[in-house]
PDB file of all heavy atoms in Angstrom:
ATOM      1  N   ARG A 459    -107.242 -24.259 -35.303  1.00 92.00           N
ATOM      2  CA  ARG A 459    -108.511 -23.627 -35.022  1.00 92.00           C
ATOM      3  C   ARG A 459    -108.956 -23.713 -33.566  1.00 92.00           C
ATOM      4  O   ARG A 459    -109.960 -23.133 -33.152  1.00 92.00           O
ATOM      5  CB  ARG A 459    -109.649 -24.263 -35.874  1.00 92.00           C
ATOM      6  CG  ARG A 459    -109.918 -25.710 -35.607  1.00 92.00           C
ATOM      7  CD  ARG A 459    -110.883 -26.320 -36.626  1.00 92.00           C
ATOM      8  NE  ARG A 459    -111.465 -27.573 -36.189  1.00 92.00           N
ATOM      9  CZ  ARG A 459    -112.596 -27.727 -35.579  1.00 92.00           C
ATOM     10  NH1 ARG A 459    -113.443 -26.724 -35.468  1.00 92.00           N
ATOM     11  NH2 ARG A 459    -113.001 -28.921 -35.233  1.00 92.00           N
ATOM     12  N   PHE A 460    -108.138 -24.287 -32.659  1.00 93.00           N
ATOM     13  CA  PHE A 460    -108.465 -24.466 -31.273  1.00 93.00           C
ATOM     14  C   PHE A 460    -108.679 -23.108 -30.583  1.00 93.00           C
ATOM     15  O   PHE A 460    -109.619 -22.968 -29.806  1.00 93.00           O
ATOM     16  CB  PHE A 460    -107.360 -25.253 -30.616  1.00 93.00           C
ATOM     17  CG  PHE A 460    -107.662 -25.728 -29.210  1.00 93.00           C
ATOM     18  CD1 PHE A 460    -108.735 -26.499 -28.947  1.00 93.00           C
ATOM     19  CD2 PHE A 460    -106.804 -25.434 -28.172  1.00 93.00           C
ATOM     20  CE1 PHE A 460    -109.045 -27.015 -27.711  1.00 93.00           C
ATOM     21  CE2 PHE A 460    -107.074 -25.841 -26.904  1.00 93.00           C
ATOM     22  CZ  PHE A 460    -108.139 -26.703 -26.626  1.00 93.00           C
ATOM     23  N   ASP A 461    -107.741 -22.160 -30.804  1.00 93.00           N
ATOM     24  CA  ASP A 461    -107.911 -20.844 -30.194  1.00 93.00           C
ATOM     25  C   ASP A 461    -109.242 -20.223 -30.521  1.00 93.00           C
ATOM     26  O   ASP A 461    -109.997 -19.767 -29.618  1.00 93.00           O
ATOM     27  CB  ASP A 461    -106.785 -19.880 -30.569  1.00 93.00           C
ATOM     28  CG  ASP A 461    -105.432 -20.325 -30.042  1.00 93.00           C
ATOM     29  OD1 ASP A 461    -105.355 -20.635 -28.828  1.00 93.00           O
ATOM     30  OD2 ASP A 461    -104.465 -20.357 -30.838  1.00 93.00           O
ATOM     31  N   HIS A 462    -109.607 -20.161 -31.771  1.00 91.00           N
ATOM     32  CA  HIS A 462    -110.862 -19.561 -32.229  1.00 91.00           C
ATOM     33  C   HIS A 462    -112.099 -20.328 -31.742  1.00 91.00           C
ATOM     34  O   HIS A 462    -113.027 -19.778 -31.278  1.00 91.00           O
ATOM     35  CB  HIS A 462    -110.842 -19.346 -33.735  1.00 91.00           C
ATOM     36  CG  HIS A 462    -112.107 -18.824 -34.261  1.00 91.00           C
ATOM     37  ND1 HIS A 462    -113.146 -19.653 -34.654  1.00 91.00           N
ATOM     38  CD2 HIS A 462    -112.570 -17.564 -34.480  1.00 91.00           C
ATOM     39  CE1 HIS A 462    -114.180 -18.914 -35.067  1.00 91.00           C
ATOM     40  NE2 HIS A 462    -113.799 -17.623 -34.985  1.00 91.00           N
ATOM     41  N   ASP A 463    -112.056 -21.615 -32.012  1.00 90.00           N
ATOM     42  CA  ASP A 463    -113.243 -22.449 -31.796  1.00 90.00           C
ATOM     43  C   ASP A 463    -113.525 -22.777 -30.346  1.00 90.00           C
ATOM     44  O   ASP A 463    -114.693 -23.078 -29.997  1.00 90.00           O
ATOM     45  CB  ASP A 463    -113.137 -23.744 -32.588  1.00 90.00           C
ATOM     46  CG  ASP A 463    -113.334 -23.539 -34.099  1.00 90.00           C
ATOM     47  OD1 ASP A 463    -113.452 -22.410 -34.551  1.00 90.00           O
ATOM     48  OD2 ASP A 463    -113.249 -24.556 -34.807  1.00 90.00           O
ATOM     49  N   ALA A 464    -112.551 -22.761 -29.497  1.00 91.00           N
ATOM     50  CA  ALA A 464    -112.747 -23.199 -28.114  1.00 91.00           C
ATOM     51  C   ALA A 464    -112.232 -22.097 -27.135  1.00 91.00           C
ATOM     52  O   ALA A 464    -113.007 -21.644 -26.298  1.00 91.00           O
ATOM     53  CB  ALA A 464    -112.016 -24.503 -27.852  1.00 91.00           C
ATOM     54  N   LEU A 465    -111.016 -21.745 -27.228  1.00 94.00           N
ATOM     55  CA  LEU A 465    -110.404 -20.908 -26.164  1.00 94.00           C
ATOM     56  C   LEU A 465    -110.879 -19.438 -26.224  1.00 94.00           C
ATOM     57  O   LEU A 465    -110.843 -18.769 -25.181  1.00 94.00           O
ATOM     58  CB  LEU A 465    -108.918 -20.957 -26.216  1.00 94.00           C
ATOM     59  CG  LEU A 465    -108.295 -22.350 -26.085  1.00 94.00           C
ATOM     60  CD1 LEU A 465    -106.796 -22.302 -26.187  1.00 94.00           C
ATOM     61  CD2 LEU A 465    -108.757 -23.012 -24.807  1.00 94.00           C
ATOM     62  N   ALA A 466    -111.320 -18.933 -27.349  1.00 92.00           N
ATOM     63  CA  ALA A 466    -111.795 -17.556 -27.454  1.00 92.00           C
ATOM     64  C   ALA A 466    -113.234 -17.383 -27.030  1.00 92.00           C
ATOM     65  O   ALA A 466    -113.764 -16.239 -26.981  1.00 92.00           O
ATOM     66  CB  ALA A 466    -111.541 -17.040 -28.864  1.00 92.00           C
ATOM     67  N   LEU A 467    -113.924 -18.455 -26.708  1.00 91.00           N
ATOM     68  CA  LEU A 467    -115.333 -18.310 -26.314  1.00 91.00           C
ATOM     69  C   LEU A 467    -115.441 -17.651 -24.943  1.00 91.00           C
ATOM     70  O   LEU A 467    -114.625 -17.943 -24.084  1.00 91.00           O
ATOM     71  CB  LEU A 467    -116.006 -19.687 -26.273  1.00 91.00           C
ATOM     72  CG  LEU A 467    -116.054 -20.444 -27.638  1.00 91.00           C
ATOM     73  CD1 LEU A 467    -116.569 -21.841 -27.484  1.00 91.00           C
ATOM     74  CD2 LEU A 467    -116.904 -19.659 -28.638  1.00 91.00           C
ATOM     75  N   PRO A 468    -116.429 -16.816 -24.782  1.00 90.00           N
ATOM     76  CA  PRO A 468    -116.557 -16.150 -23.468  1.00 90.00           C
ATOM     77  C   PRO A 468    -116.797 -17.127 -22.300  1.00 90.00           C
ATOM     78  O   PRO A 468    -117.588 -18.082 -22.470  1.00 90.00           O
ATOM     79  CB  PRO A 468    -117.728 -15.184 -23.653  1.00 90.00           C
ATOM     80  CG  PRO A 468    -118.391 -15.558 -24.904  1.00 90.00           C
ATOM     81  CD  PRO A 468    -117.452 -16.441 -25.703  1.00 90.00           C
ATOM     82  N   SER A 469    -116.114 -16.957 -21.280  1.00 88.00           N
ATOM     83  CA  SER A 469    -116.250 -17.703 -20.050  1.00 88.00           C
ATOM     84  C   SER A 469    -115.982 -19.212 -20.162  1.00 88.00           C
ATOM     85  O   SER A 469    -116.411 -20.019 -19.358  1.00 88.00           O
ATOM     86  CB  SER A 469    -117.669 -17.547 -19.454  1.00 88.00           C
ATOM     87  OG  SER A 469    -117.944 -16.179 -19.213  1.00 88.00           O
ATOM     88  N   VAL A 470    -115.252 -19.641 -21.182  1.00 91.00           N
ATOM     89  CA  VAL A 470    -114.876 -21.020 -21.325  1.00 91.00           C
ATOM     90  C   VAL A 470    -114.037 -21.458 -20.140  1.00 91.00           C
ATOM     91  O   VAL A 470    -113.150 -20.788 -19.724  1.00 91.00           O
ATOM     92  CB  VAL A 470    -114.142 -21.343 -22.659  1.00 91.00           C
ATOM     93  CG1 VAL A 470    -112.841 -20.670 -22.750  1.00 91.00           C
ATOM     94  CG2 VAL A 470    -114.043 -22.843 -22.874  1.00 91.00           C
ATOM     95  N   ARG A 471    -114.453 -22.584 -19.556  1.00 91.00           N
ATOM     96  CA  ARG A 471    -113.695 -23.175 -18.389  1.00 91.00           C
ATOM     97  C   ARG A 471    -113.146 -24.531 -18.705  1.00 91.00           C
ATOM     98  O   ARG A 471    -112.121 -24.914 -18.073  1.00 91.00           O
ATOM     99  CB  ARG A 471    -114.653 -23.243 -17.221  1.00 91.00           C
ATOM    100  CG  ARG A 471    -115.150 -21.925 -16.758  1.00 91.00           C
ATOM    101  CD  ARG A 471    -115.916 -22.005 -15.471  1.00 91.00           C
ATOM    102  NE  ARG A 471    -116.778 -23.139 -15.280  1.00 91.00           N
ATOM    103  CZ  ARG A 471    -117.861 -23.180 -14.566  1.00 91.00           C
ATOM    104  NH1 ARG A 471    -118.224 -22.152 -13.887  1.00 91.00           N
ATOM    105  NH2 ARG A 471    -118.544 -24.252 -14.433  1.00 91.00           N
ATOM    106  N   SER A 472    -113.742 -25.270 -19.600  1.00 92.00           N
ATOM    107  CA  SER A 472    -113.187 -26.592 -19.860  1.00 92.00           C
ATOM    108  C   SER A 472    -113.527 -26.962 -21.331  1.00 92.00           C
ATOM    109  O   SER A 472    -114.480 -26.474 -21.920  1.00 92.00           O
ATOM    110  CB  SER A 472    -113.795 -27.651 -18.883  1.00 92.00           C
ATOM    111  OG  SER A 472    -115.186 -27.674 -18.943  1.00 92.00           O
ATOM    112  N   VAL A 473    -112.699 -27.874 -21.835  1.00 93.00           N
ATOM    113  CA  VAL A 473    -112.831 -28.368 -23.173  1.00 93.00           C
ATOM    114  C   VAL A 473    -112.700 -29.895 -23.157  1.00 93.00           C
ATOM    115  O   VAL A 473    -111.849 -30.437 -22.457  1.00 93.00           O
ATOM    116  CB  VAL A 473    -111.723 -27.817 -24.093  1.00 93.00           C
ATOM    117  CG1 VAL A 473    -111.764 -28.451 -25.483  1.00 93.00           C
ATOM    118  CG2 VAL A 473    -111.846 -26.324 -24.198  1.00 93.00           C
ATOM    119  N   ILE A 474    -113.622 -30.571 -23.876  1.00 93.00           N
ATOM    120  CA  ILE A 474    -113.463 -32.002 -24.098  1.00 93.00           C
ATOM    121  C   ILE A 474    -112.873 -32.104 -25.467  1.00 93.00           C
ATOM    122  O   ILE A 474    -113.440 -31.710 -26.505  1.00 93.00           O
ATOM    123  CB  ILE A 474    -114.789 -32.728 -24.028  1.00 93.00           C
ATOM    124  CG1 ILE A 474    -115.361 -32.574 -22.616  1.00 93.00           C
ATOM    125  CG2 ILE A 474    -114.652 -34.172 -24.429  1.00 93.00           C
ATOM    126  CD1 ILE A 474    -116.789 -33.129 -22.440  1.00 93.00           C
ATOM    127  N   LEU A 475    -111.697 -32.717 -25.562  1.00 94.00           N
ATOM    128  CA  LEU A 475    -110.974 -32.863 -26.824  1.00 94.00           C
ATOM    129  C   LEU A 475    -111.131 -34.324 -27.324  1.00 94.00           C
ATOM    130  O   LEU A 475    -110.573 -35.245 -26.735  1.00 94.00           O
ATOM    131  CB  LEU A 475    -109.540 -32.494 -26.667  1.00 94.00           C
ATOM    132  CG  LEU A 475    -108.625 -32.590 -27.865  1.00 94.00           C
ATOM    133  CD1 LEU A 475    -109.057 -31.604 -28.896  1.00 94.00           C
ATOM    134  CD2 LEU A 475    -107.177 -32.395 -27.500  1.00 94.00           C
ATOM    135  N   LEU A 476    -111.877 -34.463 -28.389  1.00 94.00           N
ATOM    136  CA  LEU A 476    -112.090 -35.757 -29.017  1.00 94.00           C
ATOM    137  C   LEU A 476    -111.683 -35.600 -30.486  1.00 94.00           C
ATOM    138  O   LEU A 476    -112.413 -35.148 -31.301  1.00 94.00           O
ATOM    139  CB  LEU A 476    -113.507 -36.236 -28.924  1.00 94.00           C
ATOM    140  CG  LEU A 476    -113.861 -37.542 -29.610  1.00 94.00           C
ATOM    141  CD1 LEU A 476    -113.037 -38.706 -29.140  1.00 94.00           C
ATOM    142  CD2 LEU A 476    -115.352 -37.846 -29.575  1.00 94.00           C
ATOM    143  N   GLU A 477    -110.446 -35.935 -30.748  1.00 93.00           N
ATOM    144  CA  GLU A 477    -109.843 -35.802 -32.054  1.00 93.00           C
ATOM    145  C   GLU A 477    -108.891 -37.002 -32.237  1.00 93.00           C
ATOM    146  O   GLU A 477    -108.340 -37.539 -31.298  1.00 93.00           O
ATOM    147  CB  GLU A 477    -109.026 -34.548 -32.191  1.00 93.00           C
ATOM    148  CG  GLU A 477    -109.821 -33.242 -32.223  1.00 93.00           C
ATOM    149  CD  GLU A 477    -110.106 -32.772 -33.608  1.00 93.00           C
ATOM    150  OE1 GLU A 477    -109.780 -33.477 -34.566  1.00 93.00           O
ATOM    151  OE2 GLU A 477    -110.613 -31.677 -33.734  1.00 93.00           O
ATOM    152  N   GLY A 478    -108.592 -37.348 -33.501  1.00 94.00           N
ATOM    153  CA  GLY A 478    -107.475 -38.266 -33.767  1.00 94.00           C
ATOM    154  C   GLY A 478    -107.765 -39.360 -34.722  1.00 94.00           C
ATOM    155  O   GLY A 478    -106.860 -39.835 -35.385  1.00 94.00           O
ATOM    156  N   VAL A 479    -109.027 -39.793 -34.872  1.00 94.00           N
ATOM    157  CA  VAL A 479    -109.268 -40.926 -35.762  1.00 94.00           C
ATOM    158  C   VAL A 479    -108.890 -40.561 -37.203  1.00 94.00           C
ATOM    159  O   VAL A 479    -108.335 -41.392 -37.946  1.00 94.00           O
ATOM    160  CB  VAL A 479    -110.707 -41.450 -35.683  1.00 94.00           C
ATOM    161  CG1 VAL A 479    -111.729 -40.564 -36.306  1.00 94.00           C
ATOM    162  CG2 VAL A 479    -110.795 -42.866 -36.257  1.00 94.00           C
ATOM    163  N   ASN A 480    -109.156 -39.338 -37.635  1.00 93.00           N
ATOM    164  CA  ASN A 480    -108.812 -38.941 -38.991  1.00 93.00           C
ATOM    165  C   ASN A 480    -107.273 -38.871 -39.134  1.00 93.00           C
ATOM    166  O   ASN A 480    -106.760 -39.131 -40.251  1.00 93.00           O
ATOM    167  CB  ASN A 480    -109.499 -37.644 -39.389  1.00 93.00           C
ATOM    168  CG  ASN A 480    -110.992 -37.820 -39.446  1.00 93.00           C
ATOM    169  OD1 ASN A 480    -111.455 -38.787 -40.067  1.00 93.00           O
ATOM    170  ND2 ASN A 480    -111.709 -36.963 -38.836  1.00 93.00           N
ATOM    171  N   ASP A 481    -106.593 -38.478 -38.096  1.00 94.00           N
ATOM    172  CA  ASP A 481    -105.132 -38.505 -38.148  1.00 94.00           C
ATOM    173  C   ASP A 481    -104.591 -39.929 -38.309  1.00 94.00           C
ATOM    174  O   ASP A 481    -103.647 -40.196 -39.088  1.00 94.00           O
ATOM    175  CB  ASP A 481    -104.522 -37.917 -36.829  1.00 94.00           C
ATOM    176  CG  ASP A 481    -104.818 -36.405 -36.734  1.00 94.00           C
ATOM    177  OD1 ASP A 481    -104.011 -35.608 -37.214  1.00 94.00           O
ATOM    178  OD2 ASP A 481    -105.898 -36.058 -36.147  1.00 94.00           O
ATOM    179  N   LEU A 482    -105.276 -40.896 -37.685  1.00 95.00           N
ATOM    180  CA  LEU A 482    -104.832 -42.298 -37.782  1.00 95.00           C
ATOM    181  C   LEU A 482    -104.966 -42.761 -39.187  1.00 95.00           C
ATOM    182  O   LEU A 482    -104.097 -43.495 -39.702  1.00 95.00           O
ATOM    183  CB  LEU A 482    -105.666 -43.165 -36.865  1.00 95.00           C
ATOM    184  CG  LEU A 482    -105.531 -42.964 -35.365  1.00 95.00           C
ATOM    185  CD1 LEU A 482    -106.422 -43.968 -34.621  1.00 95.00           C
ATOM    186  CD2 LEU A 482    -104.083 -43.038 -34.889  1.00 95.00           C
ATOM    187  N   THR A 483    -106.037 -42.326 -39.850  1.00 91.00           N
ATOM    188  CA  THR A 483    -106.206 -42.804 -41.244  1.00 91.00           C
ATOM    189  C   THR A 483    -105.208 -42.157 -42.203  1.00 91.00           C
ATOM    190  O   THR A 483    -105.134 -42.537 -43.356  1.00 91.00           O
ATOM    191  CB  THR A 483    -107.665 -42.568 -41.744  1.00 91.00           C
ATOM    192  OG1 THR A 483    -107.964 -41.181 -41.737  1.00 91.00           O
ATOM    193  CG2 THR A 483    -108.647 -43.380 -40.841  1.00 91.00           C
ATOM    194  N   ALA A 484    -104.519 -41.132 -41.769  1.00 91.00           N
ATOM    195  CA  ALA A 484    -103.471 -40.485 -42.516  1.00 91.00           C
ATOM    196  C   ALA A 484    -102.097 -41.035 -42.112  1.00 91.00           C
ATOM    197  O   ALA A 484    -101.053 -40.456 -42.501  1.00 91.00           O
ATOM    198  CB  ALA A 484    -103.523 -38.994 -42.394  1.00 91.00           C
ATOM    199  N   ASP A 485    -102.080 -42.070 -41.330  1.00 89.00           N
ATOM    200  CA  ASP A 485    -100.879 -42.741 -40.913  1.00 89.00           C
ATOM    201  C   ASP A 485     -99.891 -41.917 -40.113  1.00 89.00           C
ATOM    202  O   ASP A 485     -98.676 -42.093 -40.298  1.00 89.00           O
ATOM    203  CB  ASP A 485    -100.211 -43.434 -42.150  1.00 89.00           C
ATOM    204  CG  ASP A 485    -101.080 -44.527 -42.735  1.00 89.00           C
ATOM    205  OD1 ASP A 485    -101.696 -45.216 -41.940  1.00 89.00           O
ATOM    206  OD2 ASP A 485    -101.093 -44.620 -43.975  1.00 89.00           O
ATOM    207  N   VAL A 486    -100.398 -41.072 -39.248  1.00 95.00           N
ATOM    208  CA  VAL A 486     -99.491 -40.391 -38.343  1.00 95.00           C
ATOM    209  C   VAL A 486     -99.089 -41.356 -37.215  1.00 95.00           C
ATOM    210  O   VAL A 486     -99.689 -42.367 -37.032  1.00 95.00           O
ATOM    211  CB  VAL A 486    -100.108 -39.100 -37.680  1.00 95.00           C
ATOM    212  CG1 VAL A 486    -100.602 -38.127 -38.712  1.00 95.00           C
ATOM    213  CG2 VAL A 486    -101.247 -39.499 -36.754  1.00 95.00           C
ATOM    214  N   THR A 487     -97.937 -41.086 -36.571  1.00 97.00           N
ATOM    215  CA  THR A 487     -97.502 -41.976 -35.472  1.00 97.00           C
ATOM    216  C   THR A 487     -98.170 -41.520 -34.213  1.00 97.00           C
ATOM    217  O   THR A 487     -98.682 -40.422 -34.052  1.00 97.00           O
ATOM    218  CB  THR A 487     -95.946 -41.869 -35.338  1.00 97.00           C
ATOM    219  OG1 THR A 487     -95.619 -40.516 -34.914  1.00 97.00           O
ATOM    220  CG2 THR A 487     -95.248 -42.113 -36.681  1.00 97.00           C
ATOM    221  N   ALA A 488     -98.064 -42.427 -33.254  1.00 98.00           N
ATOM    222  CA  ALA A 488     -98.560 -42.112 -31.906  1.00 98.00           C
ATOM    223  C   ALA A 488     -97.834 -40.898 -31.342  1.00 98.00           C
ATOM    224  O   ALA A 488     -98.436 -40.007 -30.733  1.00 98.00           O
ATOM    225  CB  ALA A 488     -98.416 -43.332 -30.993  1.00 98.00           C
ATOM    226  N   ALA A 489     -96.530 -40.905 -31.510  1.00 98.00           N
ATOM    227  CA  ALA A 489     -95.767 -39.755 -30.974  1.00 98.00           C
ATOM    228  C   ALA A 489     -96.153 -38.424 -31.609  1.00 98.00           C
ATOM    229  O   ALA A 489     -96.217 -37.380 -30.915  1.00 98.00           O
ATOM    230  CB  ALA A 489     -94.248 -40.028 -31.212  1.00 98.00           C
ATOM    231  N   GLN A 490     -96.427 -38.410 -32.862  1.00 97.00           N
ATOM    232  CA  GLN A 490     -96.894 -37.180 -33.514  1.00 97.00           C
ATOM    233  C   GLN A 490     -98.205 -36.719 -32.995  1.00 97.00           C
ATOM    234  O   GLN A 490     -98.384 -35.529 -32.694  1.00 97.00           O
ATOM    235  CB  GLN A 490     -96.974 -37.372 -35.060  1.00 97.00           C
ATOM    236  CG  GLN A 490     -95.661 -37.542 -35.753  1.00 97.00           C
ATOM    237  CD  GLN A 490     -95.779 -38.008 -37.176  1.00 97.00           C
ATOM    238  OE1 GLN A 490     -96.634 -38.835 -37.546  1.00 97.00           O
ATOM    239  NE2 GLN A 490     -94.951 -37.502 -38.078  1.00 97.00           N
ATOM    240  N   LEU A 491     -99.111 -37.649 -32.812  1.00 97.00           N
ATOM    241  CA  LEU A 491    -100.469 -37.274 -32.335  1.00 97.00           C
ATOM    242  C   LEU A 491    -100.362 -36.822 -30.873  1.00 97.00           C
ATOM    243  O   LEU A 491    -100.983 -35.831 -30.475  1.00 97.00           O
ATOM    244  CB  LEU A 491    -101.379 -38.467 -32.478  1.00 97.00           C
ATOM    245  CG  LEU A 491    -102.882 -38.216 -32.335  1.00 97.00           C
ATOM    246  CD1 LEU A 491    -103.331 -36.994 -33.197  1.00 97.00           C
ATOM    247  CD2 LEU A 491    -103.662 -39.462 -32.745  1.00 97.00           C
TER     248      LEU A 491
END
């Protein structure tokens, strides 16, 4: 969803990416994340 929700916005210059805690609870590895 990154392209639609962030990158496709008009005049977007920067994004703060805060994601990952839900991935941790699904037992992904650090390398995968």
Side-chain angles (χ1 to χ4, degrees):
R459 67 187 195 99
F460 191 58
D461 291 313
H462 175 270
D463 288 1
L465 301 179
L467 298 174
S469 303
V470 65
R471 297 188 322 206
S472 58
V473 171
I474 297 172
L475 181 64
L476 175 60
E477 290 265 7
V479 73
N480 294 312
D481 293 271
L482 296 180
T483 64
D485 295 322
V486 301
T487 67
Q490 290 169 322
L491 196 48

